[in-house]
Amino acid sequence: MTNLLIEVQQFIDSNNLDRAREEVAKNLSNLRTINAKVRDFAALLALGSQQALEIGLGVLGRELLKKDPELSMDAIWLFLAAVLSRQTIAINSPSRISILGLTACVVDWKLPIFTLLTPTLDSFFKLSLSQASDLIAEQTLDFIATYGESYAKAPRTNKQLQELEDCINLVLDKVDDLDLKEAWSEEIETFYQLARKSRQERYSDERIWSAGSLLLKNIYTTQALNSDTETNNNYKVKENISRFITSSLSALGTILQGDGLSVAIHISNNQAQKDWSVIANVVDKLERLFQEIADLTFNNISKLPTFTPAHAIPGSWTIIVHMNLSYNQSTSLATKLKSISLIGDSTDERRNSSLFNSWQDCIESLRRDEIIVDLAISTDAPELRILKSISTRDFPSIQAYSSPKIRIISHDVPQANDLERVIRLAELLIQYPHDPSILRQQFLETDKTADRDFLYYQAAAKILGIADERVRPTKACFVLNRLPSTEAKMRFLAYQFISSNVGAAWFGWTNANDLSEIKPESAEQFLNEVCPSLSGTTIKRRAKTLESWLNIFLEHW
């Protein structure tokens, strides 16, 4: 089969636009079903240049004017999703008007697959109304006035409606034709009334969380993906739309859940058997990442609320969770998370960013488990409601930032100096294996220590393998607790340290055959060379902890 994307671009490059349009028209001869030509056209919309997009949508618009009663709504959804998955659409591009014609083909915006598109479409319309040319702005206003009765059925927050109303008023104020202005105003008022009514009734179709992913899977079957091995355009479009769906789900989480931070997490890995523990593991790691970012962002939050499970999509490794924060807190945290993808590509800029280092550590720990994660966040702030997802695939592995082969991340390195307190924490883990709040309270009361110190000792227990990722006692913890003396326990922890990521790395870096061959004073140099996400005073503090641990282990070795 010919590659429409390549052929159209070749005609554009040779300034033969008529031939480009002819090639597009050949692919649009049958829009009653999803077929290879429809998928090829979707690739043009999602991956093509701005001019290719404009040509494609222009030809499609002429086809849609024929008003085929058997037009496939799945094809319309695919075309809209492909367009909306693009990075940008030029503000004064004629494609903005063509998209209105495509959008007008949707019969029922309350259907889950189309409701999924509305957060991005609303943002798209607001830009067209407020920043585009007068022609584009008026055409957008006309769409909302003409098709608003159906479009109003999709869920929105009151703030979204107010933002849309403000943008619409900017356009209405410029309309000179008083009869047209009055007609538009009446139809727009009907849109507002229906949208507010939909808001009060609350959207309740639970298929919203899975409909888009299921349709995408049906469109891009294994057979369809395997038939396109030369360019892999089908795979690229599927991935782009999949990430767009993840972003849309996080936005819908905000719209339907209210204030706070909504997070959509899409997980992929190579395991044949899908286990809920994989999702739980990812959620734990992301909660820890968010806590670290909160520590860098806020002065008045010692511990973030945990994620509240909102929706887990059956048959999919996608989960939408919610964090109950105030508007200002969720906006600040989301802004920090958004900035991760904006940090420059230079090694120095990334290495010197505490925020990026926390993210890098998180994705490296996921890579160890061969897990790929797409993460999308949303709040009800206009600039943060719908954001491009962040993926572990967007960033090189930590090895890309320097040459030595031995590598650890900051989470591998302890910052709790007193090993006897680690042993006391192990005892409490066994006493309170299912109640982390009592565990924390008992530890703080016993050791008269600060909240942050508890987090350090909790991390130390994980490093030494006596607590799992969910801070539950491991088999090693029970063994440690049964040992009769402090000396025996320290010797046991020494072996646990050797098998930890940081201990094994120190062994390898030293080229040691026995613990006694590692010099405690080499800790700082070791961390400087093998842990690129640590720097400055942080390395010195962590090195002191490592040195302290090793000195104690050697006493009992």
Side-chain angles (χ1 to χ4, degrees):
M1 179 181 171
T2 59
N3 186 305
L4 180 65
L5 179 59
I6 294 174
E7 289 191 346
V8 168
Q9 192 58 50
Q10 286 174 343
F11 287 127
I12 290 172
D13 293 341
S14 62
N15 204 30
N16 194 343
L17 303 187
D18 287 339
R19 282 297 307 277
R21 294 185 183 97
E22 288 173 10
E23 289 303 315
V24 172
K26 291 176 186 177
N27 275 58
L28 299 179
S29 58
N30 179 11
L31 296 180
R32 295 183 173 186
T33 186
I34 299 291
N35 52 42
K37 288 186 175 183
V38 166
R39 284 189 289 267
D40 214 20
F41 180 68
L44 180 76
L45 298 181
L47 309 175
S49 65
Q50 180 69 40
Q51 193 170 5
L53 172 70
E54 291 169 2
I55 289 173
L57 286 172
V59 176
L60 176 63
R62 287 196 292 274
E63 288 296 320
L64 296 178
L65 286 174
K66 297 175 183 177
K67 297 190 180 298
D68 184 347
E70 296 182 44
L71 179 68
S72 167
M73 284 296 107
D74 288 353
I76 294 300
W77 179 88
L78 174 61
F79 296 158
L80 278 170
V83 171
L84 296 175
S85 71
R86 293 174 65 94
Q87 293 276 17
T88 57
I89 297 172
I91 191 63
N92 282 318
S93 167
S95 61
R96 285 185 170 264
I97 294 177
S98 300
I99 290 167
L100 296 174
L102 176 58
T103 308
C105 294
V106 177
V107 176
D108 186 359
W109 284 99
K110 202 170 183 180
L111 287 175
I113 58 170
F114 292 113
T115 294
L116 185 69
L117 307 178
T118 55
T120 303
L121 272 173
D122 275 6
S123 296
F124 176 82
F125 290 157
K126 283 192 299 177
L127 277 176
S128 293
L129 290 163
S130 61
Q131 297 182 27
S133 67
D134 289 347
L135 175 62
I136 292 173
E138 288 187 1
Q139 289 291 312
T140 304
L141 176 60
D142 186 65
F143 166 82
I144 298 173
T146 305
Y147 299 95
E149 187 172 345
S150 175
Y151 191 61
K153 294 178 182 178
R156 292 173 180 83
T157 65
N158 291 329
K159 187 175 292 185
Q160 274 181 288
L161 278 175
Q162 185 61 55
E163 292 162 11
L164 204 53
E165 184 173 355
D166 291 343
C167 293
I168 287 171
N169 288 339
L170 288 174
V171 182
L172 280 173
D173 289 344
K174 297 179 183 178
V175 177
D176 296 326
D177 186 324
L178 296 182
D179 289 338
L180 179 60
K181 184 175 183 177
E182 183 180 357
W184 272 344
S185 296
E186 289 177 0
E187 292 167 330
I188 289 294
E189 184 57 37
T190 300
F191 166 77
Y192 293 147
Q193 291 174 1
L194 291 172
R196 293 188 187 102
K197 182 180 178 182
S198 296
R199 176 67 185 162
Q200 292 170 353
E201 291 175 352
R202 293 194 58 85
Y203 191 86
S204 59
D205 193 333
E206 288 296 313
R207 294 175 301 167
I208 183 63
W209 308 108
S210 57
S213 297
L214 290 174
L215 179 53
L216 187 66
K217 186 177 180 181
N218 289 334
I219 292 172
Y220 291 99
T221 61
T222 302
Q223 182 180 358
L225 296 175
N226 290 341
S227 67
D228 179 35
T229 55
E230 186 176 343
T231 63
N232 283 327
N233 283 344
N234 283 343
Y235 175 80
K236 294 172 189 174
V237 175
K238 183 185 179 185
E239 286 302 304
N240 283 3
I241 295 179
S242 177
R243 292 184 64 169
F244 165 72
I245 289 172
T246 303
S247 296
S248 300
L249 289 173
S250 67
L252 284 166
T254 290
I255 292 167
L256 299 177
Q257 293 290 321
D259 286 341
L261 182 73
S262 288
V263 184
I265 307 161
H266 179 73
I267 303 165
S268 311
N269 81 347
N270 296 324
Q271 291 184 9
Q273 198 67 20
K274 295 185 177 181
D275 195 311
W276 172 254
S277 64
V278 175
I279 293 180
N281 180 33
V282 170
V283 170
D284 288 342
K285 285 179 167 63
L286 290 176
E287 276 192 342
R288 183 168 63 183
L289 169 68
F290 283 30
Q291 181 63 57
E292 287 191 8
I293 293 173
D295 289 343
L296 296 169
T297 306
F298 304 121
N299 296 320
N300 58 345
I301 296 183
S302 58
K303 183 146 181 30
L304 286 176
T306 57
F307 286 137
T308 302
H311 299 276
I313 299 173
S316 168
W317 281 18
T318 301
I319 184 171
I320 297 89
V321 293
H322 196 77
M323 187 172 280
N324 188 21
L325 295 170
S326 70
Y327 178 82
N328 289 337
Q329 290 167 346
S330 61
T331 299
S332 297
L333 188 57
T335 301
K336 284 289 186 182
L337 287 159
K338 176 185 175 183
S339 70
I340 289 174
S341 60
L342 303 178
I343 296 172
D345 291 332
S346 76
T347 302
D348 288 340
E349 186 176 356
R350 288 185 166 183
R351 183 166 182 170
N352 293 328
S353 166
S354 298
L355 177 67
F356 184 79
N357 290 337
S358 292
W359 169 247
Q360 187 71 54
D361 280 359
C362 180
I363 62 179
E364 285 300 318
S365 64
L366 292 169
R367 281 178 177 141
R368 286 174 178 171
D369 298 329
E370 299 183 334
I371 292 172
I372 296 169
V373 169
D374 290 335
L375 171 73
I377 54 173
S378 173
T379 76
D380 202 23
E383 71 280 6
L384 298 169
R385 193 172 294 123
I386 182 81
L387 296 172
K388 180 185 175 185
S389 69
I390 309 169
S391 174
T392 54
R393 289 168 292 195
D394 296 339
F395 301 88
S397 68
I398 204 166
Q399 281 84 356
Y401 295 105
S402 50
S403 55
K405 293 181 180 178
I406 299 174
R407 276 289 163 270
I408 56 174
I409 59 179
S410 65
H411 289 144
D412 296 326
V413 186
Q415 45 190 331
N417 292 329
D418 191 342
L419 284 167
E420 290 191 2
R421 290 167 78 181
V422 175
I423 292 172
R424 284 199 292 278
L425 178 58
E427 294 169 356
L428 292 172
L429 280 168
I430 292 172
Q431 290 179 51
Y432 309 103
H434 304 297
D435 200 329
S437 59
I438 294 181
L439 169 70
R440 174 178 163 277
Q441 180 185 350
Q442 290 295 322
F443 182 83
L444 294 176
E445 288 179 358
T446 303
D447 286 73
K448 308 298 181 188
T449 188
D451 278 0
R452 182 163 292 194
D453 282 345
F454 171 71
L455 297 176
Y456 292 161
Y457 280 91
Q458 182 176 275
K462 294 177 184 177
I463 289 168
L464 291 170
I466 57 177
D468 64 15
E469 282 292 331
R470 312 210 82 173
V471 200
R472 296 171 300 198
T474 61
K475 291 178 182 178
C477 185
F478 287 96
V479 171
L480 175 69
N481 198 52
R482 289 178 63 86
L483 295 174
S485 64
T486 299
E487 182 176 354
K489 290 179 179 180
M490 289 298 181
R491 193 179 303 116
F492 179 80
L493 287 180
Y495 281 105
Q496 290 293 109
F497 176 73
I498 291 170
S499 63
S500 70
N501 289 328
V502 64
W506 206 355
F507 240 75
W509 180 81
T510 307
N511 197 26
N513 295 309
D514 189 84
L515 189 66
S516 59
E517 295 177 19
I518 303 177
K519 293 180 171 55
E521 60 271 19
S522 70
E524 187 173 340
Q525 183 186 352
F526 160 66
L527 291 179
N528 265 310
E529 293 186 16
V530 307
C531 191
S533 58
L534 292 177
S535 59
T537 56
T538 306
I539 279 191
K540 292 184 181 297
R541 288 197 303 271
R542 302 284 185 98
K544 284 183 180 178
T545 299
L546 276 184
E547 190 174 337
S548 168
W549 277 24
L550 185 55
N551 278 323
I552 292 172
F553 291 148
L554 291 174
E555 286 178 19
H556 301 282
W557 191 246

